[in-house]
Every structure is written in structure tokens, then in C-alpha cells.
Amino acid sequence: MYSFGSWMPALKEDLDAGAAEVAAITGLFQTGFYLGSIPARFLLHHCTHRDAYLLGGSLAAAVFFAVSFAESTWVLYFLFLAGSGMQCAFMAAATLIPRHLSAPDTVTATAWGALGSGLGTIVWASLSASLLPEMGWRASFRILAAMFLAIHAVGALGLQRPTQEAAGPPATKSPYATLLTNSNFVRFAAALGFAYFGYLLPFDIQGLAAAQKGISSVHVSIAYTSFGVSSMAGRLLVGVVGRWIHPLHLLTASFVGVTASSAILAAAANFETLVSSNVLLGITSGPMVTIIVPVLRELVPLSLIPDALALALLPQAVSGAAPILAGWIAERSGSYLLGSLVGLAALGVGIVLMAVVCWRHDASASSFHCDEGSTTDEGSVEASSSDEASDGRGL
């Protein structure tokens, strides 16, 4: 998803489409990813994690193959469904991690798991640089479809259903009502929505913006690749420091770093600045990808994490409008910079909301290591987070 923008100049040229039309392809693709949390939760209620994973991957592959025959832009809007399929696969895998591991180990495991998206960014960006000049976007999409099938077939082998003990007690009959009355969770979900809107706006349109500034498509692919490499480093760093820094604080710091990196990206006027901003963005965005599930573990009972993740992803669907808005502004102003400024403002709102979440959580004196039975100042031993989750205490 992160390198999908590198394919847009080729689509724009082949289909002779406007900036807003092409930006809508990327926007709908990522909107489908975030809204895919709804069918993903349905599948996880009615089938195994492995089945949901395979169904999601198969849907993504089928859609990429089908739209490769498109003769007009609107057919490519069905990539919305491919995004939804990818979300089903993601949720099936991500929600298993906290059900098998302790809180600190969950941070490490999600960081290592998120390396896959960094590696994928490198692979897809490199493929766009090599396949597009030789084969065009249509044949390239068919190759992507075959790769999706192979990747998900292998990935499904590693999914293991949690035991009843690992899964925790049965979730409440009204999980969404319970979550929506948790004010700190609602603020957190809203912060994610604003932050992802602001983060993905300049990131998604950088291919189109770079082309407008005379930066070649090959250099854009290199920039996306540099993001992929640095994002892997950023996620590895999260796996290390995340064991000692509270996930809420780490995520807030990530928002600040992403804001600064996005400002540099928006102002990039040459290849060197474009690459530098992508490197910084890859490192600082690490917690935004890897730390979401560990943060949810701090805010909601363990048994509600799948439902909480589904709800938390919904506000992020608004980020699908980011490239569309930027394209619309660019068509009227002649520049992508104004749209990027809107994204930076959204990131600022996200920072403020996360600061409030951290303040309220710290005021409640929750402990990140409570599930390991850490000792309080008075010498009493705190209950484990799993025990607290089972009866709703410690939230």
C-alpha cells in the first residue's frame, strides 16, 4: 500500500486521466484497506483466522488481476475491494499476536512482523521501476496478483488458533458499545484518523508531485525504496526501545517525527531532498505501524482487541480522501503544496489528541509491565494485565 503511488504516473499517462481521477485510485485503495476492518471482524467471528487470512489474500489477488484489463479509470476504483482483502489478512494475523504473547513480547513481535510491510514497500517500488518500462502496468498488475496468492498461501501456514486460555474470557455481548464509552479509546481512534490522513496525504501524492517538479519516475521509485529500507530500520528500533518506553508515549513521539518528515517531503524540490524525507519518514513512522496493537492492549481488555482494532481503523478510512483532496486542490491551484499543508494541520490535531490520551492514561497510574507482576512503591504486587482484562479492572 505504501508504494502504490509509484504506479500512478504510468496509469495517468496510459488512461489520459486527470490528477484527481488518478489520485482517487490510491485514495479508494487505502480507504478499502481501513474499511476492510468491518468484513474482517465479521470473518473472524464466523471462521478461523487462517480462513480469513486466505480469503482476504485471494480477494486482493483476484481484484488486481481483474482491473489489469481496465480501459477506463473508474474500473480501477474496484481496487477498493483489494484493499479490503488486504485488511482481512492483516487483522487475521495481527490480532493473534497479543493472544499468544505478553505485553513486552507483543511489542517486539509486532515490530518484527511489520518488517514485512517495509520489505514489501521495497519490493513493490523496485518492481514498478523494473516492470513498468518493460511490460507496462497491466502485465505488472497480473504479476502482483500471482505474488499475492503465493505470499498468502505461505503466510497462512504460520497462523495458529489461540487456546481458550490465550484468547481470554469471552468478549462482552456489546463490544462496540463498551469501546465507544471508553473515552480514551475514542480519542486514540480519532488521533489515528487525523494522523494517518496527514501522513498519507503528502506520501501518496509524492509521485505525482515529483513528476510535476521534473523528477523522473525512476528517482521516485528509488525514493519509495529508501522509505522501505528506512521503515524496516524504524520498526526494528521500535522492537528494541518499545520494551522500555510506554507504547502510548512512543506513538506520540512518532506523530511528532512524522509531522516534521512530512513537512520536508512536501517541500522537496529535487531528488536528494525527496530521498532524505522518505528516509526520515520511514524511521519516524515505525511506531504508527507497529505499536497499534500494543497500545490497544493498554486501553482495552484483551478479549476486545479484535473489535477495538476494527473500530480504530475506521477513522483512518478518511485518509483515503487525502490524495483525492490533494489532487482536487492541485488541479485548481497548479500545486500539490497546498494540499500537503492540510495534511500537516491534520497531523497537528492528532498530536494534541494523543497528548490528552497519554495524560489521562498516566493519571490513571496504569503500568505497562503490569502483566509481569511488577511491584508498586508500597511493595504490593500488581495483577497481570490479562487478569485485569478479564474483569475490566486497570483500564
Side-chain angles (χ1 to χ4, degrees):
M1 185 177 75
Y2 292 104
S3 62
F4 195 53
S6 62
W7 304 80
M8 293 304 103
L11 291 172
K12 185 175 187 295
E13 180 180 356
D14 182 59
L15 299 175
D16 193 26
E21 286 182 276
V22 176
I25 298 171
T26 304
L28 287 169
F29 178 57
Q30 69 188 41
T31 298
F33 180 79
Y34 295 120
L35 290 182
S37 62
I38 298 174
R41 192 64 191 110
F42 175 83
L43 287 176
L44 291 175
H45 270 303
H46 293 86
C47 61
T48 67
H49 285 73
R50 179 175 294 172
D51 290 341
Y53 184 87
L54 286 172
L55 286 171
S58 299
L59 175 62
V63 172
F64 265 89
F65 180 78
V67 302
S68 69
F69 298 95
E71 295 296 336
S72 60
T73 307
W74 71 266
V75 177
L76 288 160
Y77 294 161
F78 282 99
L79 284 168
F80 173 94
L81 298 176
S84 295
M86 291 180 176
Q87 181 60 250
C88 290
F90 168 76
M91 277 191 62
T95 55
L96 278 178
I97 295 175
R99 296 187 170 204
H100 284 294
L101 302 174
S102 65
D105 288 338
T106 294
V107 174
T108 303
T110 53
W112 279 99
L115 286 178
S117 63
L119 179 61
T121 301
I122 297 172
V123 171
W124 304 137
S126 300
L127 282 175
S128 70
S130 59
L131 294 180
L132 284 175
E134 299 295 329
M135 306 177 66
W137 68 269
R138 298 179 188 277
S140 299
F141 271 26
R142 292 161 197 160
I143 292 175
L144 290 181
M147 293 181 69
F148 285 149
L149 282 178
I151 289 170
H152 286 87
V154 174
L157 298 176
L159 299 185
Q160 299 180 24
R161 178 184 295 184
T163 62
Q164 183 59 36
E165 291 78 10
T172 176
K173 291 183 179 179
S174 303
Y176 296 130
T178 301
L179 291 168
L180 291 174
T181 55
N182 182 334
S183 59
N184 231 21
F185 168 75
V186 172
R187 292 187 192 93
F188 165 69
L192 281 182
F194 279 106
Y196 266 88
F197 181 92
Y199 161 44
L200 291 174
L201 193 153
F203 186 81
D204 282 344
I205 64 171
Q206 66 174 304
L208 295 170
Q212 187 183 65
K213 297 171 183 176
I215 302 174
S216 70
S217 60
V218 173
H219 284 166
V220 171
S221 297
I222 294 173
Y224 275 113
T225 301
S226 68
F227 169 84
V229 173
S230 62
S231 69
M232 293 176 70
R235 290 158 198 183
L236 281 175
L237 184 63
V238 170
V240 175
V241 303
R243 298 183 68 89
W244 293 279
I245 301 177
H246 196 286
L248 282 168
H249 300 162
L250 191 56
L251 184 60
T252 305
S254 174
F255 282 11
V256 175
V258 166
T259 302
S261 303
S262 296
I264 298 173
L265 176 61
N270 53 54
F271 170 63
E272 292 78 10
T273 308
L274 186 67
V275 170
S276 299
S277 59
N278 273 273
V279 169
L280 291 173
L281 196 58
I283 295 172
T284 57
S285 66
M288 289 182 65
V289 178
T290 61
I291 214 76
I292 303 303
V293 172
V295 166
L296 290 176
R297 184 176 180 130
E298 293 294 318
L299 298 177
V300 304
L302 193 62
S303 59
L304 288 181
I305 285 180
D307 301 284
L309 183 58
L311 277 183
L313 290 171
L314 289 181
Q316 296 179 45
V318 179
S319 65
I324 301 174
L325 175 64
W328 181 81
I329 293 175
E331 285 186 342
R332 283 153 180 78
S333 67
S335 171
Y336 288 95
L337 180 60
L338 292 177
S340 295
L341 293 177
V342 175
L344 294 175
L347 276 164
V349 175
I351 292 172
V352 172
L353 287 172
M354 277 305 302
V356 174
V357 172
C358 287
W359 174 72
R360 288 184 62 86
H361 185 272
D362 291 345
S364 71
S366 275
S367 170
F368 174 45
H369 296 295
C370 61
D371 70 333
E372 297 182 330
S374 59
T375 305
T376 63
D377 292 339
E378 291 76 15
S380 62
V381 178
E382 296 179 356
S384 71
S385 62
S386 297
D387 293 337
E388 289 175 339
S390 65
D391 60 10
R393 294 181 289 110
L395 299 179

